[in-house]
Amino acid sequence: MFPLTFLRAQLHDAPALADLVNSAYRGEASRLGWTTEADLLDGKRTDAEELTAVLTDPAVLMVAGFETDRLVACVQVRLADREAQIGMLTVDPARQNRGVGRRLLGAAEDLAARTWAIERFAMFVIPRRAELLAYYQRRGYRRTGVLLPFPENPMLWQPKVTDLSLERLEKPI
């Protein structure tokens, strides 16, 4: 396992965070890892403008993982109604399957629990991604059966399949 440092992301990190997230979720580069959504969605997952808004939101913690000085992972944690909502968990596709995601998720959960008075963690996952659901279940998250329509954002992404949705997962503190 290689050494990682987890820090709160800074505003100047927005372009690099956008590049990292997009490389892990969409396009051919994402196929190097197992978290790709390239068969489900075209376009980008996010952009620097969206991440700039995230980084300036006082209800959001953006945790960045660095290997030496290279950004290799990130995750967004948003405070909403006494829960920490985990999103955009990203690991550089070339570094996946090495425990980085597990370490990153643990660091984000620890930081959120120390920062806010929360009762649970929550996240939304595409239920077609069985391997991802299983990964989060191994991390203590449980499926709730609550489904939401997949968000639309044609300026960034276009679905390649029909009937996309998101399922809510929860983990008690």
Side-chain angles (χ1 to χ4, degrees), residues 17-18 21-22 26 44-48 50-51 88 156-157:
L17 289 166
V21 170
N22 290 321
R26 311 280 163 77
K44 295 181 177 182
R45 169 64 176 79
T46 192
D47 59 19
E50 178 186 24
L51 287 165
M88 217 179 300
L156 284 179
W157 65 76

Side-chain angles (χ1 to χ4, degrees), residues 3 15 30 37 53 72 78 83-84 100 104 111 127 135 144 159 172:
S30 71
E37 296 174 347
V72 298
R78 179 179 300 278
E83 71 181 19
V100 177
L104 174 64
L111 179 60
Y135 173 83
T144 66

